[in-house]
DNA sequence: AGTACGCCCTGGCCGC
DNA sequence: TGCGGCCAGGGCGTAC
C-alpha cells in the first residue's frame, strides 16, 4: 500500500510532467472519494482552469499547489494510484479511475483507487498542514535524533507509535515491520521500555528503510504502482513483511505474525527483542 | 491515554 | 461450478 516511499516515488515521477500544466476539466466519477465538507462541484470550481505551480509530498499525501490560494490534496489510502496518461500514449480508463484530470495540452491524469480508501480534497494552501494533521517528516534533514527522542514518548507499543501519522508521518504496516526488524526491536515493546541505544538504532533504521523504499521505487506487495503504472521493487527486499513462516534472513528462525489491533505485525522472535 | 474493534471497500483465495 | 467466509489494512469513530 502507498506509504511514504510510494507517495514520494509518485511525486517525483509526476513533478517534471505535471508542473506547469493547466487543468482544463476535472471529472469526478465517484463523489464519495471527496470526503470533506466541500461538494464535488466546489472542487471542480476551484481546480478547473487553474495552473499547477508545484507538487510536494507530506506523509502519504500528494499535494498540488495551484495558481490561487488553493491546493489540491490526494491521500492515497490503501490502493490509490496517480497515473499519467499522455495524449500521445493514452492509458485506458476503467471503472476505478474515480477522478480524471484533463489538462489543456490534452494529457490526462487518473486518480485510481479500487478499494476507495483514498480521498481527494481542495483547501487553502495555509490550511493543508492543519487538515492533514501529521507528525514530522522522517526523511527531512531537520528530523534529528534529538527531535526524534523528544517526540518518542508514551506507553503505547512501538509499532503502534510508528504507524500513528500524528506522531510521525508516512509510516504504515509494511515499513513499520521492516524498520523494527532492521532495528532488532520487537513490535510489541512499549515506547518507554527502549533504552538510548535502542532508540538510536530505531532512529537510524527509520531513515535507512524509508530511504531504501524510495531507492527501490516503493513496495508492490499489493496494488501499488508508480505514476507510469510500473511496480516498485522494495517488496523483493523485505525481510519480514508477509513472510510468515519463512526463515529469518539473519538467523533462520521462522518469521511470526501476530495481530496488533486490526493489523498484522511480522517479526523474527529471535532477532527482535 | 491507550487499546480494541467495527466500518468503509474489493477481489483473490480457500474449503466444501 | 458456485458460494459463503475470510483476508489484506489506512484512517476514523466509538466504547471501554
Amino acid at each position: 500500500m502507498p506509504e511514504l516511499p510510494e507517495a514520494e516515488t509518485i511525486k517525483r515521477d509526476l513533478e517534471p510532467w505535471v508542473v506547469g500544466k493547466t487543468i482544463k476539466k476535472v471529472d469526478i466519477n465517484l463523489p464519495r472519494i471527496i470526503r470533506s465538507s466541500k461538494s464535488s462541484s466546489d472542487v471542480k470550481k476551484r481546480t478547473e482552469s487553474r495552473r499547477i505551480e508545484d507538487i510536494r509530498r507530506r506523509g502519504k499525501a500528494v499535494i498540488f499547489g495551484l495558481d490561487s490560494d488553493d491546493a489540491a490534496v490526494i491521500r492515497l489510502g490503501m490502493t490509490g494510484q496517480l497515473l499519467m496518461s499522455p495524449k500521445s500514449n493514452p492509458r485506458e480508463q476503467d471503472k476505478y479511475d474515480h477522478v480524471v484530470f484533463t489538462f489543456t495540452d490534452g494529457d490526462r491524469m487518473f486518480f485510481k483507487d479500487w478499494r476507495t480508501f483514498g480521498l481527494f480534497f481542495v483547501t487553502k494552501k495555509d490550511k493543508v498542514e492543519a487538515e492533514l494533521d501529521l507528525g514530522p517528516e522522517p526523511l527531512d534533514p531537520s528530523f534529528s535524533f534529538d527531535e526524534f527522542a523528544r517526540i518518542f514518548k508514551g506507553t503505547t507499543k512501538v509499532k503502534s507509535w510508528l504507524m500513528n501519522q500524528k506522531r510521525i508521518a508516512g509510516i504504515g504496516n509494511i515499513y513499520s515491520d521492516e524498520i523494527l526488524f532492521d532495528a532488532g526491536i520487537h513490535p510489541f515493546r512499549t515506547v518507554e521500555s527502549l533504552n538510548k541505544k535502542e532508540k538510536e538504532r530505531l532512529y537510524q533504521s527509520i531513515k535507512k528503510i524509508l530511504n531504501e523504499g524510495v531507492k527501490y521505487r516503493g513496495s508492490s506487495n499489493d496494488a501499488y504502482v508508480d505514476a507510469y503504472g510500473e511496480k516498485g521493487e522494495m517488496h523483493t527486499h523485505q525481510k519480514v513483511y508477509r513472510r510468515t513462516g519463512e526463515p529469518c534472513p539473519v538467523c533462520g528462525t521462522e518469521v511470526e505474525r501476530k495481530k496488533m489491533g486490526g493489523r498484522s505485525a511480522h517479526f523474527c522472535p529471535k532477532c527482535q527483542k
Side-chain angles (χ1 to χ4, degrees), chain A residues 62-86:
Chain A
V62 178
I63 302 154
F64 301 86
L66 307 176
D67 63 342
S68 62
D69 294 338
D70 287 332
V73 181
I74 289 179
R75 226 175 51 195
L76 296 161
M78 262 196 71
T79 55
Q81 307 176 356
L82 277 170
L83 295 160
M84 298 184 278
S85 181

Side-chain angles (χ1 to χ4, degrees), chain A residues 67-191:
Chain A
D67 63 342
S68 62
D69 294 338
D70 287 332
V73 181
I74 289 179
R75 226 175 51 195
L76 296 161
M78 262 196 71
T79 55
Q81 307 176 356
L82 277 170
L83 295 160
M84 298 184 278
S85 181
K87 190 183 178 183
S88 58
N89 184 22
R91 174 176 294 279
E92 197 174 335
Q93 193 181 328
D94 70 28
K95 62 176 173 172
Y96 305 115
D97 292 315
H98 303 312
V99 183
V100 177
F101 300 85
T102 303
F103 301 107
T104 52
D105 62 6
D107 287 357
R108 300 205 292 172
M109 181 175 74
F110 300 147
F111 175 28
K112 179 174 188 155
D113 187 4
W114 66 284
R115 282 186 198 163
T116 70
F117 287 177
L119 70 94
F120 171 42
F121 64 91
V122 176
T123 191
K124 295 284 180 205
K125 284 172 184 168
D126 59 11
K127 294 260 173 68
V128 171
E129 267 303 299
E131 292 212 19
L132 287 175
D133 191 19
L134 300 170
E137 281 294 325
L139 292 187
D140 196 293
S142 68
F143 186 66
S144 61
F145 175 72
D146 286 348
E147 169 66 3
F148 169 68
R150 193 182 65 76
I151 63 169
F152 191 67
K153 297 241 158 73
T155 55
T156 189
K157 295 181 180 73
V158 62
K159 179 176 167 68
S160 295
W161 190 92
L162 287 172
M163 289 175 63
N164 185 335
Q165 303 304 299
K166 288 180 172 55
R167 311 266 203 184
I168 187 168
I171 300 171
N173 213 29
I174 299 174
Y175 291 94
S176 59
D177 279 356
E178 294 300 315
I179 287 165
L180 289 168
F181 176 79
D182 190 69
I185 294 165
H186 196 288
F188 284 72
R189 290 273 301 279
T190 63
V191 166

